[in-house]
Amino acid sequence: MDIRRLELLRELADRGSITAVALATHRTTSAVSQQLKILEREAGVPLTERSGRGVALTSAGRALARTATDVATAIERAEALWADFRSAPQGEVTLTIFPTAGQMFLPGLLNRVAEVPGLHVICSDLDSFVTDIADLTADFDIVIADAPGILPAWTERGLTVVPLMREPLDVAMPEGHPLGAKKSLTPADVIDQDWIGVPSDLPFDRILRGIEAANAAPARVAQRIADNRIVESLVAAGHGIGILPRYTTRDRENGLITRPLVGVRSSRLISALVRPDRAQRPSVRAVLSAFQAEATEFEQSHQG
């Protein structure tokens, strides 16, 4: 089987449509369809099937797509081994990161990478524009994600997951709020409060759901806002309390105070997601190593 056709099948598994594969690989949709039909004849079994107005992979197609990932990983591993013999890591590494992780890690990360001649990181912050952040691994070498832990969907997709840091999430309230007299808060303390929540598909919402479950009662959600900076402003103005990350919330600098929440797991795991073949590149490995060092140093400096 032709490796290039296998790669198109893998792209279809990741991107979900022939049109998206065509755009990503700079081909026409008819050219992509033709190559996939040839691959199907070579395989001898159906690899795609009609699904609505598009196509979906059959079970055989999904299995062959995983094989394409294995082939790409092996090729990158061989090229990485040769690159290690020839030179130090170099070239461009593309990265997308969510805003608060960018605040915490990017300045130090770019300082570390600047010490490696010929290595450059190209950064962006596109996580708020997608439903599933893992989808961005098709277009970026490294994707920084936050979740309660390592999600099964990430491993099912065959992604390499590099945990960086676990960050506590605290209850934020305006200065002078009665709950500020407590050193920590329980679900019973906060259930009767008005909340500035997040959209229901974002990770922080699970904490509010946990508070509801612990009290067997619904929370009063006044607003749902994705941007932490807007949440900070609304909380500081007295429109409700919220859940915010500990290390980037401007506690007492923007009219806010924060308290830890006990009785509900309230933290997030920040991880790097990488396609396994790209994880073999010396340049990507070097940036991941710099990320791990920066996260460890950041966490140690903010504990206590």
Side-chain angles (χ1 to χ4, degrees):
M1 293 181 184
D2 190 290
I3 292 176
R4 290 167 296 184
R5 295 188 191 111
L6 283 173
E7 183 61 25
L8 287 178
L9 188 69
R10 178 198 185 187
E11 292 292 338
L12 180 58
D14 281 350
R15 299 180 185 276
S17 74
I18 288 177
T19 299
V21 173
L23 288 172
T25 60
H26 307 291
R27 292 175 169 87
T28 63
T29 54
S30 60
V32 172
S33 297
Q34 182 181 23
Q35 291 301 306
L36 290 175
K37 287 178 181 177
I38 294 172
L39 181 62
E40 192 168 70
R41 287 200 298 270
E42 292 174 342
V45 294
L47 301 178
T48 62
E49 58 189 1
R50 299 298 302 178
S51 176
R53 296 183 179 180
V55 298
L57 294 183
T58 63
S59 58
R62 291 192 296 272
L64 194 57
R66 289 193 294 270
T67 299
T69 298
D70 294 338
V71 170
T73 301
I75 291 172
E76 288 289 351
R77 186 180 297 118
E79 292 181 350
L81 179 63
W82 181 241
D84 283 342
F85 279 110
R86 289 190 296 123
S87 63
Q90 56 184 313
E92 291 186 352
V93 174
T94 57
L95 160 74
T96 188
I97 191 168
F98 60 91
T100 51
Q103 288 178 253
M104 290 189 289
F105 301 144
L106 277 188
L109 174 79
L110 294 178
N111 287 339
R112 293 176 188 273
V113 171
E115 297 174 358
V116 183
L119 182 61
H120 304 283
V121 175
I122 309 300
C123 307
S124 65
D125 56 343
L126 298 181
D127 81 297
S128 60
F129 298 98
V130 296
T131 301
D132 184 352
I133 194 171
D135 290 342
L136 293 174
T137 57
D139 295 311
F140 293 89
D141 296 319
I142 300 173
V143 174
I144 304 301
D146 67 329
I150 296 175
L151 300 184
W154 298 347
T155 53
E156 288 169 4
R157 292 175 70 153
L159 297 175
T160 296
V161 182
V162 180
L164 298 175
M165 184 182 76
R166 183 165 287 280
E167 180 182 16
L169 304 172
D170 295 329
V171 177
M173 64 200 83
E175 287 185 317
H177 194 285
L179 291 177
K182 294 177 173 285
K183 291 184 178 180
S184 62
L185 300 173
T186 68
D189 291 328
V190 297
I191 190 61
D192 291 331
Q193 300 293 316
D194 290 330
W195 283 87
I196 307 300
V198 298
S200 56
D201 59 344
L202 293 185
F204 287 10
D205 191 55
R206 68 177 174 81
I207 299 172
L208 197 53
R209 293 197 303 270
I211 291 171
E212 291 177 324
N215 288 283
R220 298 199 307 265
V221 181
Q223 304 290 342
R224 289 188 179 273
I225 303 292
D227 191 304
N228 286 338
R229 292 166 298 182
I230 300 176
V231 174
E232 285 187 13
S233 297
L234 292 176
V235 170
H239 294 290
I241 65 175
I243 298 291
L244 287 169
R246 178 171 298 177
Y247 299 142
T248 53
T249 299
R250 293 169 291 171
D251 190 2
R252 295 190 179 278
E253 295 179 14
N254 193 31
L256 292 174
I257 55 175
T258 59
R259 295 293 182 267
L261 179 66
V262 297
V264 172
R265 187 179 183 186
S266 54
S267 66
R268 63 176 176 179
L269 181 65
I270 301 174
S271 302
L273 310 182
V274 189
R275 276 186 169 185
D277 49 319
R278 291 177 181 172
Q280 298 298 323
R281 297 178 187 172
S283 56
V284 173
R285 293 205 311 268
V287 174
L288 286 174
S289 179
F291 250 121
Q292 289 174 301
E294 185 62 26
T296 297
E297 183 175 306
F298 184 95
E299 188 173 25
Q300 289 173 348
S301 68
H302 285 75
Q303 288 178 340

